Amino acid sequence: MRLFAISLALLSLAANITFQHVLMQARVARAVLIPGLADFRPAWNNGVSFSLLTQDSATGRYLLIAFLALVTAGVLVVMWRATSRFSAAGLGLIAGGAMGNLLDRIRYEGAVFDFLALHLGRMPLFVCNLPDIFISAGVIMLVADSIFAKQGAMDFAD
C-alpha cells in the first residue's frame, strides 16, 4: 500500500506541475468552462483556502510555508501508515495536493496559482487549483472509507 500511496502522491504532483505549466503558457485571461458553474479565471492566492490568512510580508510567507511543510509532513506520515488501499489512495491524493501547493508557495513567493472559479449562477463560491481538487477528493475518500470500512464495502483487492 505504501508504494501505491507514494505513486499516487507523485503522480498528483506531476499532474499539477504539468497542468499548471500548460495553463500559464496559454495566456487566456478568462473562459467559461461550464455555463453557470465553472469558469477559467487565473489568479494568484497568497492565502490558504478561501484566501484566508493572506500573507503580504516575507515573514508571514515564510511562516505559512513552514506551517504547510509541517502539515504536509504529517500527511506523509499518516499516508505511510495507511491500512487500506482506499485510505492509501485518499491520503496519496491529499499528500500530492499538499506537495503541489507547497511547491507553488516556494516557487512563487508564497502564492499558489488558482484557476478554476466555481459558482452557482451569479453567486460565486470559490477559486481553486488542481491540488485543491486532489485534496478535496482525498478527503471525500477518507470520509467514505471511515463510514463504510466497518461494512467492508471500501476494501480493494490487495
Side-chain angles (χ1 to χ4, degrees):
M1 272 182 268
R2 290 177 179 164
L3 181 60
F4 176 66
I6 292 167
S7 297
L8 192 54
L10 293 175
L11 183 63
S12 300
L13 178 61
N16 175 57
I17 293 168
T18 303
F19 198 68
Q20 187 177 65
H21 177 76
V22 169
L23 290 176
M24 287 179 170
Q25 298 303 313
R27 307 226 188 269
V28 175
R30 267 185 107 134
V32 174
L33 301 174
I34 302 171
L37 184 62
D39 299 333
F40 174 75
R41 187 174 51 197
W44 290 101
N45 179 357
N46 290 315
V48 292
S49 296
F50 307 108
S51 295
L52 299 172
L53 303 175
T54 298
Q55 301 302 310
D56 294 328
S57 70
T59 302
R61 284 193 302 270
Y62 295 136
L63 288 173
L64 180 58
I65 288 170
F67 174 73
L68 294 174
L70 286 173
V71 169
T72 302
V75 170
L76 291 169
V77 167
V78 173
M79 181 187 78
W80 191 256
R81 297 177 180 173
T83 57
S84 75
R85 195 178 266 294
F86 201 74
S87 65
L91 289 162
L93 287 172
I94 293 169
M99 289 187 298
N101 276 336
L102 183 60
L103 180 63
D104 277 2
R105 291 190 187 285
I106 292 167
R107 291 173 63 194
Y108 303 116
E109 298 181 16
V112 296
F113 180 71
D114 285 342
F115 61 86
L116 183 61
L118 300 175
H119 52 89
L120 293 174
R122 293 179 182 248
M123 184 177 71
L125 299 174
F126 54 89
V127 181
C128 64
N129 57 25
L130 196 56
D132 296 337
I133 294 167
F134 290 146
I135 292 167
S136 297
V139 168
I140 290 168
M141 291 176 77
L142 290 179
V143 169
D145 186 56
S146 70
I147 291 171
F148 298 110
K150 293 176 185 167
Q151 300 169 5
M154 300 307 287
D155 292 335
F156 293 152
D158 288 324

PDB file of all heavy atoms in Angstrom, residues 121-146:
ATOM      1  N   GLY A 121     -24.671  29.943 -10.767  1.00  0.00           N
ATOM      2  CA  GLY A 121     -25.227  31.090 -11.479  1.00  0.00           C
ATOM      3  C   GLY A 121     -24.324  32.288 -11.279  1.00  0.00           C
ATOM      4  O   GLY A 121     -23.140  32.242 -11.582  1.00  0.00           O
ATOM      5  N   ARG A 122     -24.871  33.340 -10.691  1.00  0.00           N
ATOM      6  CA  ARG A 122     -24.077  34.548 -10.425  1.00  0.00           C
ATOM      7  C   ARG A 122     -23.467  34.560  -9.030  1.00  0.00           C
ATOM      8  O   ARG A 122     -22.723  35.469  -8.688  1.00  0.00           O
ATOM      9  CB  ARG A 122     -24.952  35.791 -10.610  1.00  0.00           C
ATOM     10  CG  ARG A 122     -25.373  35.996 -12.038  1.00  0.00           C
ATOM     11  CD  ARG A 122     -26.251  37.233 -12.153  1.00  0.00           C
ATOM     12  NE  ARG A 122     -26.694  37.409 -13.504  1.00  0.00           N
ATOM     13  CZ  ARG A 122     -26.296  38.416 -14.275  1.00  0.00           C
ATOM     14  NH1 ARG A 122     -25.468  39.311 -13.811  1.00  0.00           N
ATOM     15  NH2 ARG A 122     -26.750  38.505 -15.498  1.00  0.00           N
ATOM     16  N   MET A 123     -23.785  33.554  -8.215  1.00  0.00           N
ATOM     17  CA  MET A 123     -23.266  33.502  -6.844  1.00  0.00           C
ATOM     18  C   MET A 123     -21.906  32.806  -6.833  1.00  0.00           C
ATOM     19  O   MET A 123     -21.814  31.605  -7.079  1.00  0.00           O
ATOM     20  CB  MET A 123     -24.228  32.746  -5.926  1.00  0.00           C
ATOM     21  CG  MET A 123     -23.766  32.744  -4.475  1.00  0.00           C
ATOM     22  SD  MET A 123     -24.935  31.922  -3.359  1.00  0.00           S
ATOM     23  CE  MET A 123     -24.719  30.225  -3.832  1.00  0.00           C
ATOM     24  N   PRO A 124     -20.840  33.572  -6.562  1.00  0.00           N
ATOM     25  CA  PRO A 124     -19.508  32.961  -6.547  1.00  0.00           C
ATOM     26  C   PRO A 124     -19.331  32.051  -5.329  1.00  0.00           C
ATOM     27  O   PRO A 124     -19.832  32.335  -4.245  1.00  0.00           O
ATOM     28  CB  PRO A 124     -18.565  34.166  -6.472  1.00  0.00           C
ATOM     29  CG  PRO A 124     -19.375  35.248  -5.865  1.00  0.00           C
ATOM     30  CD  PRO A 124     -20.805  34.997  -6.264  1.00  0.00           C
ATOM     31  N   LEU A 125     -18.637  30.936  -5.532  1.00  0.00           N
ATOM     32  CA  LEU A 125     -18.332  30.028  -4.435  1.00  0.00           C
ATOM     33  C   LEU A 125     -16.866  30.177  -4.034  1.00  0.00           C
ATOM     34  O   LEU A 125     -16.569  30.651  -2.952  1.00  0.00           O
ATOM     35  CB  LEU A 125     -18.651  28.581  -4.822  1.00  0.00           C
ATOM     36  CG  LEU A 125     -20.117  28.302  -5.158  1.00  0.00           C
ATOM     37  CD1 LEU A 125     -20.292  26.884  -5.671  1.00  0.00           C
ATOM     38  CD2 LEU A 125     -20.990  28.557  -3.946  1.00  0.00           C
ATOM     39  N   PHE A 126     -15.947  29.780  -4.908  1.00  0.00           N
ATOM     40  CA  PHE A 126     -14.516  29.906  -4.619  1.00  0.00           C
ATOM     41  C   PHE A 126     -13.709  29.665  -5.883  1.00  0.00           C
ATOM     42  O   PHE A 126     -14.229  29.194  -6.886  1.00  0.00           O
ATOM     43  CB  PHE A 126     -14.074  28.951  -3.508  1.00  0.00           C
ATOM     44  CG  PHE A 126     -14.436  27.508  -3.747  1.00  0.00           C
ATOM     45  CD1 PHE A 126     -13.590  26.662  -4.440  1.00  0.00           C
ATOM     46  CD2 PHE A 126     -15.636  27.005  -3.272  1.00  0.00           C
ATOM     47  CE1 PHE A 126     -13.924  25.346  -4.664  1.00  0.00           C
ATOM     48  CE2 PHE A 126     -15.980  25.680  -3.482  1.00  0.00           C
ATOM     49  CZ  PHE A 126     -15.114  24.852  -4.184  1.00  0.00           C
ATOM     50  N   VAL A 127     -12.442  30.017  -5.804  1.00  0.00           N
ATOM     51  CA  VAL A 127     -11.492  29.766  -6.890  1.00  0.00           C
ATOM     52  C   VAL A 127     -10.465  28.780  -6.348  1.00  0.00           C
ATOM     53  O   VAL A 127      -9.966  28.946  -5.233  1.00  0.00           O
ATOM     54  CB  VAL A 127     -10.797  31.076  -7.357  1.00  0.00           C
ATOM     55  CG1 VAL A 127      -9.834  30.793  -8.499  1.00  0.00           C
ATOM     56  CG2 VAL A 127     -11.834  32.110  -7.771  1.00  0.00           C
ATOM     57  N   CYS A 128     -10.172  27.737  -7.116  1.00  0.00           N
ATOM     58  CA  CYS A 128      -9.258  26.706  -6.632  1.00  0.00           C
ATOM     59  C   CYS A 128      -8.281  26.284  -7.728  1.00  0.00           C
ATOM     60  O   CYS A 128      -8.299  26.844  -8.823  1.00  0.00           O
ATOM     61  CB  CYS A 128     -10.043  25.503  -6.111  1.00  0.00           C
ATOM     62  SG  CYS A 128     -11.021  24.654  -7.368  1.00  0.00           S
ATOM     63  N   ASN A 129      -7.463  25.294  -7.425  1.00  0.00           N
ATOM     64  CA  ASN A 129      -6.487  24.775  -8.375  1.00  0.00           C
ATOM     65  C   ASN A 129      -6.520  23.249  -8.340  1.00  0.00           C
ATOM     66  O   ASN A 129      -7.281  22.651  -7.577  1.00  0.00           O
ATOM     67  CB  ASN A 129      -5.093  25.330  -8.082  1.00  0.00           C
ATOM     68  CG  ASN A 129      -4.616  25.029  -6.680  1.00  0.00           C
ATOM     69  OD1 ASN A 129      -5.037  24.081  -6.042  1.00  0.00           O
ATOM     70  ND2 ASN A 129      -3.718  25.862  -6.184  1.00  0.00           N
ATOM     71  N   LEU A 130      -5.690  22.611  -9.144  1.00  0.00           N
ATOM     72  CA  LEU A 130      -5.680  21.154  -9.208  1.00  0.00           C
ATOM     73  C   LEU A 130      -5.301  20.511  -7.869  1.00  0.00           C
ATOM     74  O   LEU A 130      -5.950  19.540  -7.457  1.00  0.00           O
ATOM     75  CB  LEU A 130      -4.748  20.692 -10.338  1.00  0.00           C
ATOM     76  CG  LEU A 130      -4.898  19.251 -10.799  1.00  0.00           C
ATOM     77  CD1 LEU A 130      -6.321  18.933 -11.226  1.00  0.00           C
ATOM     78  CD2 LEU A 130      -3.935  18.973 -11.939  1.00  0.00           C
ATOM     79  N   PRO A 131      -4.280  21.017  -7.143  1.00  0.00           N
ATOM     80  CA  PRO A 131      -4.005  20.429  -5.834  1.00  0.00           C
ATOM     81  C   PRO A 131      -5.197  20.509  -4.872  1.00  0.00           C
ATOM     82  O   PRO A 131      -5.433  19.572  -4.114  1.00  0.00           O
ATOM     83  CB  PRO A 131      -2.826  21.253  -5.310  1.00  0.00           C
ATOM     84  CG  PRO A 131      -2.123  21.700  -6.538  1.00  0.00           C
ATOM     85  CD  PRO A 131      -3.231  21.962  -7.527  1.00  0.00           C
ATOM     86  N   ASP A 132      -5.956  21.594  -4.929  1.00  0.00           N
ATOM     87  CA  ASP A 132      -7.149  21.703  -4.079  1.00  0.00           C
ATOM     88  C   ASP A 132      -8.162  20.616  -4.433  1.00  0.00           C
ATOM     89  O   ASP A 132      -8.822  20.060  -3.552  1.00  0.00           O
ATOM     90  CB  ASP A 132      -7.809  23.076  -4.234  1.00  0.00           C
ATOM     91  CG  ASP A 132      -6.930  24.223  -3.773  1.00  0.00           C
ATOM     92  OD1 ASP A 132      -6.023  23.988  -2.950  1.00  0.00           O
ATOM     93  OD2 ASP A 132      -7.147  25.353  -4.242  1.00  0.00           O
ATOM     94  N   ILE A 133      -8.283  20.324  -5.728  1.00  0.00           N
ATOM     95  CA  ILE A 133      -9.208  19.275  -6.175  1.00  0.00           C
ATOM     96  C   ILE A 133      -8.721  17.920  -5.674  1.00  0.00           C
ATOM     97  O   ILE A 133      -9.516  17.110  -5.179  1.00  0.00           O
ATOM     98  CB  ILE A 133      -9.347  19.304  -7.714  1.00  0.00           C
ATOM     99  CG1 ILE A 133     -10.038  20.610  -8.141  1.00  0.00           C
ATOM    100  CG2 ILE A 133     -10.105  18.076  -8.220  1.00  0.00           C
ATOM    101  CD1 ILE A 133      -9.971  20.903  -9.624  1.00  0.00           C
ATOM    102  N   PHE A 134      -7.418  17.665  -5.779  1.00  0.00           N
ATOM    103  CA  PHE A 134      -6.861  16.403  -5.274  1.00  0.00           C
ATOM    104  C   PHE A 134      -7.091  16.271  -3.763  1.00  0.00           C
ATOM    105  O   PHE A 134      -7.483  15.210  -3.279  1.00  0.00           O
ATOM    106  CB  PHE A 134      -5.362  16.302  -5.564  1.00  0.00           C
ATOM    107  CG  PHE A 134      -5.031  16.119  -7.021  1.00  0.00           C
ATOM    108  CD1 PHE A 134      -3.887  16.687  -7.548  1.00  0.00           C
ATOM    109  CD2 PHE A 134      -5.835  15.384  -7.870  1.00  0.00           C
ATOM    110  CE1 PHE A 134      -3.552  16.513  -8.880  1.00  0.00           C
ATOM    111  CE2 PHE A 134      -5.515  15.209  -9.210  1.00  0.00           C
ATOM    112  CZ  PHE A 134      -4.367  15.778  -9.717  1.00  0.00           C
ATOM    113  N   ILE A 135      -6.832  17.344  -3.029  1.00  0.00           N
ATOM    114  CA  ILE A 135      -7.021  17.311  -1.575  1.00  0.00           C
ATOM    115  C   ILE A 135      -8.485  17.048  -1.239  1.00  0.00           C
ATOM    116  O   ILE A 135      -8.797  16.209  -0.385  1.00  0.00           O
ATOM    117  CB  ILE A 135      -6.521  18.625  -0.929  1.00  0.00           C
ATOM    118  CG1 ILE A 135      -4.985  18.718  -1.041  1.00  0.00           C
ATOM    119  CG2 ILE A 135      -6.974  18.730   0.525  1.00  0.00           C
ATOM    120  CD1 ILE A 135      -4.410  20.085  -0.724  1.00  0.00           C
ATOM    121  N   SER A 136      -9.397  17.736  -1.902  1.00  0.00           N
ATOM    122  CA  SER A 136     -10.828  17.541  -1.646  1.00  0.00           C
ATOM    123  C   SER A 136     -11.266  16.115  -1.972  1.00  0.00           C
ATOM    124  O   SER A 136     -12.004  15.494  -1.193  1.00  0.00           O
ATOM    125  CB  SER A 136     -11.652  18.532  -2.470  1.00  0.00           C
ATOM    126  OG  SER A 136     -11.347  19.859  -2.081  1.00  0.00           O
ATOM    127  N   ALA A 137     -10.809  15.583  -3.101  1.00  0.00           N
ATOM    128  CA  ALA A 137     -11.149  14.203  -3.473  1.00  0.00           C
ATOM    129  C   ALA A 137     -10.597  13.227  -2.436  1.00  0.00           C
ATOM    130  O   ALA A 137     -11.278  12.267  -2.055  1.00  0.00           O
ATOM    131  CB  ALA A 137     -10.619  13.881  -4.868  1.00  0.00           C
ATOM    132  N   GLY A 138      -9.379  13.475  -1.973  1.00  0.00           N
ATOM    133  CA  GLY A 138      -8.777  12.610  -0.964  1.00  0.00           C
ATOM    134  C   GLY A 138      -9.547  12.638   0.343  1.00  0.00           C
ATOM    135  O   GLY A 138      -9.755  11.592   0.976  1.00  0.00           O
ATOM    136  N   VAL A 139      -9.975  13.805   0.751  1.00  0.00           N
ATOM    137  CA  VAL A 139     -10.761  13.922   1.994  1.00  0.00           C
ATOM    138  C   VAL A 139     -12.090  13.185   1.845  1.00  0.00           C
ATOM    139  O   VAL A 139     -12.512  12.460   2.756  1.00  0.00           O
ATOM    140  CB  VAL A 139     -10.979  15.409   2.365  1.00  0.00           C
ATOM    141  CG1 VAL A 139     -12.023  15.549   3.468  1.00  0.00           C
ATOM    142  CG2 VAL A 139      -9.660  16.047   2.790  1.00  0.00           C
ATOM    143  N   ILE A 140     -12.742  13.331   0.705  1.00  0.00           N
ATOM    144  CA  ILE A 140     -14.000  12.614   0.464  1.00  0.00           C
ATOM    145  C   ILE A 140     -13.761  11.106   0.536  1.00  0.00           C
ATOM    146  O   ILE A 140     -14.559  10.363   1.122  1.00  0.00           O
ATOM    147  CB  ILE A 140     -14.613  13.026  -0.891  1.00  0.00           C
ATOM    148  CG1 ILE A 140     -15.129  14.471  -0.804  1.00  0.00           C
ATOM    149  CG2 ILE A 140     -15.726  12.064  -1.311  1.00  0.00           C
ATOM    150  CD1 ILE A 140     -15.487  15.094  -2.129  1.00  0.00           C
ATOM    151  N   MET A 141     -12.648  10.640  -0.032  1.00  0.00           N
ATOM    152  CA  MET A 141     -12.330   9.209   0.027  1.00  0.00           C
ATOM    153  C   MET A 141     -12.098   8.746   1.463  1.00  0.00           C
ATOM    154  O   MET A 141     -12.543   7.659   1.842  1.00  0.00           O
ATOM    155  CB  MET A 141     -11.106   8.904  -0.837  1.00  0.00           C
ATOM    156  CG  MET A 141     -11.371   9.052  -2.323  1.00  0.00           C
ATOM    157  SD  MET A 141      -9.896   8.803  -3.310  1.00  0.00           S
ATOM    158  CE  MET A 141      -9.792   7.002  -3.229  1.00  0.00           C
ATOM    159  N   LEU A 142     -11.417   9.561   2.268  1.00  0.00           N
ATOM    160  CA  LEU A 142     -11.190   9.183   3.670  1.00  0.00           C
ATOM    161  C   LEU A 142     -12.491   9.140   4.467  1.00  0.00           C
ATOM    162  O   LEU A 142     -12.688   8.251   5.298  1.00  0.00           O
ATOM    163  CB  LEU A 142     -10.201  10.141   4.331  1.00  0.00           C
ATOM    164  CG  LEU A 142      -8.758  10.052   3.853  1.00  0.00           C
ATOM    165  CD1 LEU A 142      -7.897  11.073   4.580  1.00  0.00           C
ATOM    166  CD2 LEU A 142      -8.202   8.651   4.047  1.00  0.00           C
ATOM    167  N   VAL A 143     -13.362  10.106   4.215  1.00  0.00           N
ATOM    168  CA  VAL A 143     -14.659  10.109   4.898  1.00  0.00           C
ATOM    169  C   VAL A 143     -15.456   8.872   4.487  1.00  0.00           C
ATOM    170  O   VAL A 143     -16.020   8.173   5.345  1.00  0.00           O
ATOM    171  CB  VAL A 143     -15.446  11.409   4.606  1.00  0.00           C
ATOM    172  CG1 VAL A 143     -16.884  11.307   5.084  1.00  0.00           C
ATOM    173  CG2 VAL A 143     -14.749  12.611   5.242  1.00  0.00           C
ATOM    174  N   ALA A 144     -15.485   8.574   3.188  1.00  0.00           N
ATOM    175  CA  ALA A 144     -16.200   7.388   2.718  1.00  0.00           C
ATOM    176  C   ALA A 144     -15.589   6.128   3.319  1.00  0.00           C
ATOM    177  O   ALA A 144     -16.324   5.217   3.747  1.00  0.00           O
ATOM    178  CB  ALA A 144     -16.161   7.325   1.195  1.00  0.00           C
ATOM    179  N   ASP A 145     -14.276   6.077   3.388  1.00  0.00           N
ATOM    180  CA  ASP A 145     -13.604   4.914   3.961  1.00  0.00           C
ATOM    181  C   ASP A 145     -13.981   4.741   5.430  1.00  0.00           C
ATOM    182  O   ASP A 145     -14.236   3.624   5.882  1.00  0.00           O
ATOM    183  CB  ASP A 145     -12.087   5.047   3.810  1.00  0.00           C
ATOM    184  CG  ASP A 145     -11.349   3.807   4.259  1.00  0.00           C
ATOM    185  OD1 ASP A 145     -11.650   2.717   3.727  1.00  0.00           O
ATOM    186  OD2 ASP A 145     -10.472   3.921   5.134  1.00  0.00           O
ATOM    187  N   SER A 146     -14.038   5.852   6.160  1.00  0.00           N
ATOM    188  CA  SER A 146     -14.370   5.743   7.587  1.00  0.00           C
ATOM    189  C   SER A 146     -15.829   5.348   7.800  1.00  0.00           C
ATOM    190  O   SER A 146     -16.151   4.642   8.741  1.00  0.00           O
ATOM    191  CB  SER A 146     -14.054   7.046   8.326  1.00  0.00           C
ATOM    192  OG  SER A 146     -14.957   8.061   7.956  1.00  0.00           O
TER     193      SER A 146
END
